[in-house]
Amino acid sequence: MQIAAQRGFDMPAYDSANAFRAAMSAIARPGTIQTIAPIAADLPFSQAAAVLLLTLCDHETSLFLAPDLDTPEARHWIAFHCGAPLATKADAMFALGSWDALAPLDDYAQGTPEYPDRSATLIVEMPEITQAGPRLTGPGIQTEAYLALPDTASLMANHAKFPRGVDLFLTSGCQIAALPRSTKIEVR
Amino acid sequence: MYVAVKGGEKAIDNAHSWLAEERRGDVAVPDLTVDQIREQMALAVHRVMAEGSLYDPDLAALAIKQARGDLIEAIFLIRAYRTTLPRLGHSRPIETDDMACDRRISATFKDLPGGQVLGPTFDYTHRLLDFKLAAEGEALADTAPIAPVDQAPMPRVTEFLNRDGLIQTEQASDATPPDMTRAPMAYPAGRPLRLQALSRGDEGFLLGMAYSSQRGYARNHPFVGELRIGKVPVSMEIPELGFDIEIGEITVTECETVNQFAGSKTEPAQFTRGYGLVFGQTERKAISMALVDRALRWQELGEDNVGAPAQDEEFVISHSDNIQATGFLEHIKLPHYVDFQSELELVRRMRLAAGADEVKEAAE
Amino acid sequence: MSQEYNFAYLDEQTKRMIRRAILKGLAIPGYQVPFASREMPMPYGWGTGGVQVTAACLTPADTLKVIDQGADDTTNAVSIRKFFERTAGVATTESTRDATVIQTRHRIPEEPLTEDQILVYQVPIPEPLRFLEPRETETRVMHALEDYGLMHVKLYEDIARNGEIATAYAYPVKVEERYVMDPSPIPKFDNPRLESAAIQLFGAGREQRIYALPPYTQVVSLDFEDHPFNPSKADHPCALCGADHTYLDEVITDDQGGRMFVCSDTDYCSRRQADGHRGDMAPPVLEALS
């Protein structure tokens, strides 16, 4: 096992700043697809997901790592580069995995009426990210946007809970898109 | 001809140069050294360490020098520096039972094991200006008191009461307390966060709050059960070694008050406690803290909320930090042309409308 | 660039904490996210919230503009701009068009912002209900229950007493028909521009809150059907550039009651003058060129 070869950010302050801007653009403009710069690590999840973990997670954020990605390499990399303690779905601030491994959304912290921000952020690994999908409207979208979603019905239910609910990043390769709870979803 | 105000940068630079000059004062007078401040202005240094939440006498002395003796400004310098420090680990809780006491007094018992030790206190000085200090070349008095060599054990006063069940027992806990500098404050905050906020809170604010509780705004009859000041060792567990090592010692002031409690239907009459613990020799602050802590415990101890400020957790915590308070207070010096202009327009328009109404009424 | 401090001053762990709060803020527009605001090397109340948000957003490629009261050269704007020049080494500008990140106190630039820009507001009191109810424990429940009756009563009493809503700045808005939000102490003249193509982030350091408006978020100034919101301003054109559609500062020119009105947005005003627009008291063109 070549842990040393599994890198994080080369220049953490700069690389994380650029990655955050991509993540922020994605969540501020649902339906858009952002591209991040890859890192030199061979992991069981995408470069985009790895960069999001490096940018957002640390020892103060608990992480649920879905069983399909829970390899010794992944654990080592997370422990070394993020320090995020692994947690159950219910206790996790972040979760990473495929949709099938992460669902259902109700398993995660949804926030409270007083503190809706105390809710989980899911990083959902996708085979690909495309704009062929349901119609999205709401904050961050001038008129309408389209995005292929893993499970429209449960994401519509998530939106219906607003201001509670979880927020999603979709990741594939070096691409990131996002679906915050504020986005309204319509199936054509 | 009107020209928009330019040159803010130059004005700021000039202000800073002038400030540096004023800070130094008359160059014919020798420069004050950080060592001198640390040794001879020790109580100022202690206050800056306590409210700056950073135990470093040299840095506190430097901050006092840089701040021209403005202690809140010095505290601010320390706080801003403190935030940038990496966190390498956490110490073990300090054990004040083992304190090497310079001062230890109890107002509740005439004598007690370990005795009453006055220590270096202003208490019984007559507040008469000592003009000898103004003379240069001050010589050390040859009657310097001799520090106690073998200190007798000093058991905690409140423990005598506790043994007889006369005072409410504090529940011990190994839970890691939250850190108010790493998580946003949410209310109700709970006692660990309250004590943190009070320990770094403004001395003057806490003094006023404590005083108000003595005067009847949530009066709860405090006596100083014990006040102790002295050095305690600080130790840390080093994971690589697998055991604790002592990393240094710090001076702290600890105050436990004994307060009356009438008892209730379910509980017999019993004394209660307030607690104060502050960096350095900071007696006024530690006593104030204990009084305010006690007042804030009204709910836990089944008392009535009489609506006194000292009982109001959100009020006390939100307003005890002098760095927050001074920043917001002083920010009204900043330009507010835009807000003021919008109000000016509004007031003019409302006066115009009112004037029009008056004219109309007069015509009718 | 300073060697002793990290890029943009804050340590990476602090930036991550702020970034997480920003993302939650964007996901719940108008909701105030608590964050563990750090002690900054400038006083609370002087832009520490805005500075922390800006520091968490900046990349080395950014061009930063800092304004206070609409102007780039007010002392605190100069001070904050200098802070980022020193600690982040980013390019700075006074031009609204050239900036990628704009930190502001009390104004929204006159020039419409674009999708490539981020506007960061410095916020003193983030809670729009605070002057009606001082307790955080109470106002938090009001937001949770969407119980804004107190605010409506206050606005209505204003109308009953003064004939109009007596709030000229920090005029409350409702975001996406859910959260009542304080837009920071901008004049209500700026409220319509809260609906913007840019990302808007609000930072309150002392009060430990971050909130956000994603682009094109619906932002409605509170009003009543019979008393619609009126983003009024001084009824004058700018004395320097002649603009009749901008927010104006009133400048006292002598002790005889003399005054003039000039754009508060200094970049916008000078751009208009450079384009040949002239107000009543503008310097003659030839003199300006010489």
Side-chain angles (χ1 to χ4, degrees), chain B residues 133-186:
Chain B
L133 287 176
E136 294 195 33
E138 175 201 359
L140 259 187
D142 48 7
T143 53
I146 295 143
V149 183
D150 285 318
Q151 186 185 291
M154 288 185 177
R156 205 173 280 276
V157 170
T158 47
E159 278 313 300
F160 306 143
L161 297 168
N162 199 27
R163 206 170 303 138
D164 301 335
L166 290 172
I167 195 163
Q168 139 260 346
T169 304
E170 298 287 6
Q171 296 305 321
S173 167
D174 282 331
T176 303
D179 181 345
M180 68 173 291
T181 68
R182 305 305 277 188
M185 190 62 74

Short mmCIF file of all heavy atoms in Angstrom, two decimals, chain B residues 133-186:
data_model
loop_
_atom_site.label_atom_id
_atom_site.label_comp_id
_atom_site.label_asym_id
_atom_site.label_seq_id
_atom_site.Cartn_x
_atom_site.Cartn_y
_atom_site.Cartn_z
N LEU B 133 7.91 56.54 46.67
CA LEU B 133 8.00 55.83 45.39
C LEU B 133 8.34 56.78 44.25
O LEU B 133 8.86 56.36 43.22
CB LEU B 133 6.67 55.12 45.06
CG LEU B 133 6.34 53.88 45.88
CD1 LEU B 133 4.96 53.37 45.50
CD2 LEU B 133 7.38 52.80 45.64
N ALA B 134 7.98 58.05 44.41
CA ALA B 134 8.26 59.03 43.36
C ALA B 134 9.74 59.38 43.31
O ALA B 134 10.25 59.80 42.28
CB ALA B 134 7.42 60.29 43.58
N ALA B 135 10.42 59.21 44.44
CA ALA B 135 11.85 59.49 44.46
C ALA B 135 12.58 58.43 43.66
O ALA B 135 12.19 57.27 43.66
CB ALA B 135 12.35 59.51 45.91
N GLU B 136 13.59 58.82 42.98
CA GLU B 136 14.32 57.84 42.16
C GLU B 136 15.20 56.96 43.04
O GLU B 136 15.50 57.28 44.17
CB GLU B 136 15.14 58.58 41.12
CG GLU B 136 14.22 59.29 40.14
CD GLU B 136 14.96 59.74 38.90
OE1 GLU B 136 15.90 59.04 38.48
OE2 GLU B 136 14.59 60.79 38.37
N GLY B 137 15.62 55.86 42.46
CA GLY B 137 16.52 54.96 43.16
C GLY B 137 15.87 54.33 44.38
O GLY B 137 16.44 54.29 45.45
N GLU B 138 14.67 53.86 44.19
CA GLU B 138 13.93 53.22 45.27
C GLU B 138 14.72 52.01 45.77
O GLU B 138 15.13 51.14 45.01
CB GLU B 138 12.57 52.78 44.74
CG GLU B 138 11.75 51.99 45.72
CD GLU B 138 10.70 51.16 45.00
OE1 GLU B 138 10.61 51.23 43.75
OE2 GLU B 138 9.98 50.44 45.69
N ALA B 139 14.91 51.96 47.09
CA ALA B 139 15.65 50.83 47.65
C ALA B 139 14.65 49.83 48.22
O ALA B 139 13.60 50.20 48.72
CB ALA B 139 16.59 51.32 48.75
N LEU B 140 14.98 48.56 48.11
CA LEU B 140 14.12 47.52 48.67
C LEU B 140 14.08 47.65 50.18
O LEU B 140 15.13 47.83 50.82
CB LEU B 140 14.68 46.15 48.30
CG LEU B 140 13.99 45.42 47.14
CD1 LEU B 140 14.55 44.02 47.02
CD2 LEU B 140 12.49 45.38 47.33
N ALA B 141 12.91 47.60 50.74
CA ALA B 141 12.82 47.65 52.20
C ALA B 141 13.56 46.45 52.77
O ALA B 141 13.48 45.34 52.23
CB ALA B 141 11.35 47.63 52.60
N ASP B 142 14.29 46.69 53.85
CA ASP B 142 15.07 45.57 54.40
C ASP B 142 14.20 44.63 55.23
O ASP B 142 14.65 43.62 55.72
CB ASP B 142 16.26 46.09 55.23
CG ASP B 142 15.83 47.18 56.19
OD1 ASP B 142 14.60 47.41 56.30
OD2 ASP B 142 16.71 47.79 56.83
N THR B 143 12.92 44.98 55.36
CA THR B 143 12.03 44.12 56.13
C THR B 143 11.18 43.25 55.21
O THR B 143 10.02 42.99 55.50
CB THR B 143 11.11 44.94 57.04
OG1 THR B 143 10.45 45.91 56.19
CG2 THR B 143 11.88 45.65 58.12
N ALA B 144 11.74 42.86 54.08
CA ALA B 144 10.99 42.04 53.14
C ALA B 144 10.46 40.80 53.83
O ALA B 144 11.21 40.12 54.53
CB ALA B 144 11.88 41.65 51.96
N PRO B 145 9.16 40.53 53.67
CA PRO B 145 8.60 39.37 54.35
C PRO B 145 9.17 38.08 53.77
O PRO B 145 9.53 38.01 52.61
CB PRO B 145 7.11 39.48 54.06
CG PRO B 145 7.02 40.29 52.81
CD PRO B 145 8.20 41.21 52.81
N ILE B 146 9.27 37.12 54.60
CA ILE B 146 9.83 35.85 54.16
C ILE B 146 8.69 34.92 53.76
O ILE B 146 7.72 34.73 54.51
CB ILE B 146 10.68 35.20 55.29
CG1 ILE B 146 11.89 36.12 55.55
CG2 ILE B 146 11.14 33.81 54.90
CD1 ILE B 146 12.27 36.19 56.99
N ALA B 147 8.78 34.42 52.60
CA ALA B 147 7.74 33.53 52.09
C ALA B 147 7.74 32.24 52.91
O ALA B 147 8.80 31.79 53.34
CB ALA B 147 8.00 33.22 50.62
N PRO B 148 6.57 31.68 53.14
CA PRO B 148 6.52 30.44 53.90
C PRO B 148 7.30 29.35 53.17
O PRO B 148 7.15 29.17 51.97
CB PRO B 148 5.03 30.10 53.95
CG PRO B 148 4.39 30.92 52.89
CD PRO B 148 5.25 32.12 52.69
N VAL B 149 8.16 28.67 53.88
CA VAL B 149 9.01 27.67 53.24
C VAL B 149 8.25 26.36 53.08
O VAL B 149 8.00 25.90 51.97
CB VAL B 149 10.30 27.44 54.07
CG1 VAL B 149 11.21 26.46 53.34
CG2 VAL B 149 11.01 28.76 54.30
N ASP B 150 7.83 25.80 54.20
CA ASP B 150 7.07 24.57 54.12
C ASP B 150 5.60 24.89 54.33
O ASP B 150 5.15 25.10 55.44
CB ASP B 150 7.54 23.57 55.18
CG ASP B 150 8.87 22.97 54.78
OD1 ASP B 150 9.01 22.65 53.59
OD2 ASP B 150 9.76 22.87 55.64
N GLN B 151 4.89 24.92 53.22
CA GLN B 151 3.49 25.28 53.32
C GLN B 151 2.69 24.10 53.86
O GLN B 151 2.81 22.97 53.38
CB GLN B 151 2.99 25.68 51.94
CG GLN B 151 1.58 26.21 51.95
CD GLN B 151 1.10 26.46 50.54
OE1 GLN B 151 1.55 27.36 49.86
NE2 GLN B 151 0.16 25.65 50.11
N ALA B 152 1.89 24.38 54.87
CA ALA B 152 1.01 23.34 55.39
C ALA B 152 -0.06 23.04 54.34
O ALA B 152 -0.41 23.91 53.55
CB ALA B 152 0.36 23.84 56.68
N PRO B 153 -0.57 21.82 54.29
CA PRO B 153 -1.64 21.52 53.34
C PRO B 153 -2.82 22.45 53.57
O PRO B 153 -3.11 22.81 54.71
CB PRO B 153 -2.01 20.07 53.65
CG PRO B 153 -0.88 19.52 54.45
CD PRO B 153 -0.24 20.67 55.14
N MET B 154 -3.44 22.86 52.49
CA MET B 154 -4.56 23.78 52.60
C MET B 154 -5.80 23.16 52.01
O MET B 154 -6.13 23.40 50.85
CB MET B 154 -4.24 25.08 51.88
CG MET B 154 -3.20 25.92 52.62
SD MET B 154 -2.97 27.49 51.80
CE MET B 154 -1.80 28.28 52.90
N PRO B 155 -6.49 22.36 52.78
CA PRO B 155 -7.70 21.73 52.26
C PRO B 155 -8.75 22.80 51.94
O PRO B 155 -8.76 23.88 52.51
CB PRO B 155 -8.16 20.82 53.39
CG PRO B 155 -7.50 21.35 54.61
CD PRO B 155 -6.24 22.00 54.18
N ARG B 156 -9.62 22.45 51.04
CA ARG B 156 -10.62 23.39 50.54
C ARG B 156 -11.69 23.64 51.61
O ARG B 156 -12.25 22.69 52.16
CB ARG B 156 -11.24 22.75 49.31
CG ARG B 156 -11.83 23.64 48.33
CD ARG B 156 -12.22 22.81 47.13
NE ARG B 156 -11.04 22.56 46.31
CZ ARG B 156 -10.60 23.43 45.41
NH1 ARG B 156 -11.21 24.56 45.22
NH2 ARG B 156 -9.54 23.15 44.70
N VAL B 157 -11.98 24.90 51.82
CA VAL B 157 -12.93 25.27 52.87
C VAL B 157 -14.32 24.66 52.61
O VAL B 157 -14.96 24.11 53.51
CB VAL B 157 -13.03 26.80 52.99
CG1 VAL B 157 -14.18 27.20 53.89
CG2 VAL B 157 -11.72 27.37 53.48
N THR B 158 -14.74 24.73 51.37
CA THR B 158 -16.10 24.24 51.08
C THR B 158 -16.22 22.74 51.31
O THR B 158 -17.31 22.23 51.50
CB THR B 158 -16.50 24.58 49.64
OG1 THR B 158 -15.42 24.23 48.78
CG2 THR B 158 -16.79 26.06 49.50
N GLU B 159 -15.06 22.05 51.30
CA GLU B 159 -15.10 20.60 51.56
C GLU B 159 -15.50 20.29 53.00
O GLU B 159 -16.09 19.26 53.30
CB GLU B 159 -13.76 19.95 51.22
CG GLU B 159 -13.60 19.65 49.75
CD GLU B 159 -14.83 18.98 49.14
OE1 GLU B 159 -15.20 17.88 49.60
OE2 GLU B 159 -15.45 19.56 48.23
N PHE B 160 -15.13 21.21 53.94
CA PHE B 160 -15.56 20.99 55.33
C PHE B 160 -17.09 20.95 55.40
O PHE B 160 -17.68 20.13 56.09
CB PHE B 160 -15.06 22.11 56.26
CG PHE B 160 -13.57 22.35 56.19
CD1 PHE B 160 -13.06 23.63 56.30
CD2 PHE B 160 -12.69 21.29 56.04
CE1 PHE B 160 -11.70 23.86 56.23
CE2 PHE B 160 -11.33 21.51 55.99
CZ PHE B 160 -10.82 22.81 56.08
N LEU B 161 -17.70 21.88 54.66
CA LEU B 161 -19.16 21.96 54.66
C LEU B 161 -19.76 20.78 53.91
O LEU B 161 -20.78 20.22 54.30
CB LEU B 161 -19.61 23.28 54.00
CG LEU B 161 -19.19 24.55 54.73
CD1 LEU B 161 -19.42 25.76 53.83
CD2 LEU B 161 -19.98 24.71 56.01
N ASN B 162 -19.10 20.42 52.85
CA ASN B 162 -19.60 19.34 52.00
C ASN B 162 -19.63 18.02 52.77
O ASN B 162 -20.56 17.22 52.65
CB ASN B 162 -18.72 19.21 50.76
CG ASN B 162 -19.41 18.45 49.63
OD1 ASN B 162 -20.63 18.47 49.56
ND2 ASN B 162 -18.64 17.81 48.80
N ARG B 163 -18.62 17.82 53.62
CA ARG B 163 -18.52 16.58 54.37
C ARG B 163 -19.76 16.40 55.26
O ARG B 163 -20.23 15.30 55.48
CB ARG B 163 -17.24 16.60 55.22
CG ARG B 163 -16.71 15.22 55.54
CD ARG B 163 -15.32 15.32 56.16
NE ARG B 163 -14.38 16.01 55.31
CZ ARG B 163 -13.47 16.91 55.74
NH1 ARG B 163 -13.40 17.23 57.00
NH2 ARG B 163 -12.64 17.47 54.90
N ASP B 164 -20.26 17.52 55.74
CA ASP B 164 -21.43 17.46 56.61
C ASP B 164 -22.74 17.62 55.84
O ASP B 164 -23.80 17.77 56.44
CB ASP B 164 -21.35 18.57 57.67
CG ASP B 164 -20.09 18.44 58.52
OD1 ASP B 164 -19.58 17.30 58.63
OD2 ASP B 164 -19.62 19.46 59.05
N GLY B 165 -22.62 17.65 54.52
CA GLY B 165 -23.84 17.79 53.72
C GLY B 165 -24.47 19.16 53.81
O GLY B 165 -25.63 19.34 53.47
N LEU B 166 -23.67 20.14 54.27
CA LEU B 166 -24.25 21.47 54.47
C LEU B 166 -24.20 22.33 53.22
O LEU B 166 -24.75 23.41 53.17
CB LEU B 166 -23.50 22.19 55.60
CG LEU B 166 -23.73 21.61 56.99
CD1 LEU B 166 -22.81 22.27 58.00
CD2 LEU B 166 -25.19 21.79 57.39
N ILE B 167 -23.48 21.85 52.22
CA ILE B 167 -23.37 22.65 50.99
C ILE B 167 -23.68 21.73 49.82
O ILE B 167 -23.42 20.53 49.87
CB ILE B 167 -21.97 23.28 50.87
CG1 ILE B 167 -21.96 24.39 49.79
CG2 ILE B 167 -20.89 22.24 50.55
CD1 ILE B 167 -20.75 25.32 49.89
N GLN B 168 -24.25 22.30 48.80
CA GLN B 168 -24.65 21.51 47.64
C GLN B 168 -23.40 20.91 47.00
O GLN B 168 -22.36 21.55 46.90
CB GLN B 168 -25.47 22.42 46.72
CG GLN B 168 -25.23 22.33 45.24
CD GLN B 168 -24.32 23.44 44.73
OE1 GLN B 168 -24.06 24.43 45.40
NE2 GLN B 168 -23.80 23.23 43.54
N THR B 169 -23.50 19.65 46.60
CA THR B 169 -22.37 18.93 46.01
C THR B 169 -22.30 19.23 44.51
O THR B 169 -23.31 19.17 43.82
CB THR B 169 -22.54 17.41 46.21
OG1 THR B 169 -22.68 17.17 47.60
CG2 THR B 169 -21.35 16.64 45.66
N GLU B 170 -21.11 19.59 44.05
CA GLU B 170 -20.93 19.77 42.60
C GLU B 170 -20.67 18.41 41.98
O GLU B 170 -19.84 17.66 42.47
CB GLU B 170 -19.73 20.69 42.32
CG GLU B 170 -19.87 22.10 42.87
CD GLU B 170 -20.85 22.97 42.10
OE1 GLU B 170 -21.54 22.47 41.20
OE2 GLU B 170 -20.94 24.16 42.43
N GLN B 171 -21.39 18.12 40.91
CA GLN B 171 -21.21 16.84 40.25
C GLN B 171 -19.92 16.87 39.42
O GLN B 171 -19.74 17.74 38.60
CB GLN B 171 -22.40 16.53 39.33
CG GLN B 171 -23.73 16.36 40.08
CD GLN B 171 -23.67 15.30 41.18
OE1 GLN B 171 -23.04 14.26 41.01
NE2 GLN B 171 -24.29 15.58 42.32
N ALA B 172 -19.06 15.92 39.69
CA ALA B 172 -17.83 15.82 38.89
C ALA B 172 -18.18 15.28 37.51
O ALA B 172 -19.13 14.52 37.37
CB ALA B 172 -16.84 14.90 39.58
N SER B 173 -17.45 15.73 36.51
CA SER B 173 -17.70 15.24 35.16
C SER B 173 -16.39 15.19 34.39
O SER B 173 -15.55 16.07 34.53
CB SER B 173 -18.68 16.18 34.44
OG SER B 173 -18.69 15.89 33.06
N ASP B 174 -16.26 14.14 33.59
CA ASP B 174 -15.09 14.04 32.73
C ASP B 174 -15.39 14.49 31.31
O ASP B 174 -14.55 14.37 30.43
CB ASP B 174 -14.56 12.60 32.72
CG ASP B 174 -13.77 12.28 33.99
OD1 ASP B 174 -13.19 13.24 34.55
OD2 ASP B 174 -13.77 11.13 34.42
N ALA B 175 -16.61 14.98 31.11
CA ALA B 175 -17.00 15.38 29.75
C ALA B 175 -16.12 16.55 29.29
O ALA B 175 -15.78 17.43 30.09
CB ALA B 175 -18.46 15.81 29.73
N THR B 176 -15.72 16.51 28.02
CA THR B 176 -14.93 17.61 27.48
C THR B 176 -15.84 18.83 27.32
O THR B 176 -16.87 18.74 26.65
CB THR B 176 -14.36 17.23 26.10
OG1 THR B 176 -13.59 16.04 26.26
CG2 THR B 176 -13.48 18.34 25.55
N PRO B 177 -15.50 19.93 27.96
CA PRO B 177 -16.38 21.10 27.82
C PRO B 177 -16.29 21.70 26.43
O PRO B 177 -15.25 21.56 25.77
CB PRO B 177 -15.84 22.07 28.88
CG PRO B 177 -14.43 21.65 29.09
CD PRO B 177 -14.34 20.19 28.79
N PRO B 178 -17.35 22.35 25.96
CA PRO B 178 -17.26 23.03 24.66
C PRO B 178 -16.28 24.21 24.77
O PRO B 178 -15.98 24.67 25.87
CB PRO B 178 -18.68 23.51 24.39
CG PRO B 178 -19.36 23.50 25.71
CD PRO B 178 -18.67 22.50 26.57
N ASP B 179 -15.79 24.65 23.63
CA ASP B 179 -14.81 25.73 23.59
C ASP B 179 -15.46 26.94 22.93
O ASP B 179 -15.76 26.92 21.74
CB ASP B 179 -13.59 25.26 22.80
CG ASP B 179 -12.50 26.32 22.72
OD1 ASP B 179 -12.77 27.51 23.01
OD2 ASP B 179 -11.36 25.97 22.35
N MET B 180 -15.66 28.00 23.71
CA MET B 180 -16.38 29.16 23.17
C MET B 180 -15.62 29.88 22.07
O MET B 180 -16.21 30.66 21.33
CB MET B 180 -16.73 30.15 24.29
CG MET B 180 -15.54 30.85 24.89
SD MET B 180 -16.03 32.16 26.07
CE MET B 180 -16.75 33.36 24.95
N THR B 181 -14.32 29.62 21.95
CA THR B 181 -13.58 30.29 20.88
C THR B 181 -13.60 29.47 19.59
O THR B 181 -13.09 29.91 18.57
CB THR B 181 -12.11 30.56 21.27
OG1 THR B 181 -11.42 29.31 21.37
CG2 THR B 181 -12.03 31.31 22.59
N ARG B 182 -14.16 28.26 19.64
CA ARG B 182 -14.18 27.42 18.43
C ARG B 182 -15.57 27.10 17.94
O ARG B 182 -15.73 26.49 16.89
CB ARG B 182 -13.44 26.10 18.69
CG ARG B 182 -12.03 26.26 19.19
CD ARG B 182 -11.17 27.12 18.31
NE ARG B 182 -10.59 26.41 17.18
CZ ARG B 182 -9.69 26.95 16.37
NH1 ARG B 182 -9.29 28.19 16.55
NH2 ARG B 182 -9.20 26.26 15.38
N ALA B 183 -16.59 27.46 18.72
CA ALA B 183 -17.96 27.19 18.29
C ALA B 183 -18.81 28.41 18.60
O ALA B 183 -18.58 29.08 19.61
CB ALA B 183 -18.53 25.97 19.02
N PRO B 184 -19.76 28.75 17.71
CA PRO B 184 -20.58 29.93 17.97
C PRO B 184 -21.44 29.74 19.21
O PRO B 184 -21.89 28.64 19.50
CB PRO B 184 -21.45 30.05 16.71
CG PRO B 184 -21.42 28.70 16.09
CD PRO B 184 -20.12 28.07 16.47
N MET B 185 -21.64 30.80 19.95
CA MET B 185 -22.43 30.75 21.17
C MET B 185 -23.90 30.53 20.82
O MET B 185 -24.43 31.16 19.91
CB MET B 185 -22.25 32.07 21.93
CG MET B 185 -22.81 32.09 23.32
SD MET B 185 -22.05 30.91 24.47
CE MET B 185 -20.45 31.69 24.77
N ALA B 186 -24.53 29.60 21.51
CA ALA B 186 -25.98 29.40 21.35
C ALA B 186 -26.56 29.36 22.75
O ALA B 186 -25.90 28.91 23.69
CB ALA B 186 -26.26 28.11 20.60
#
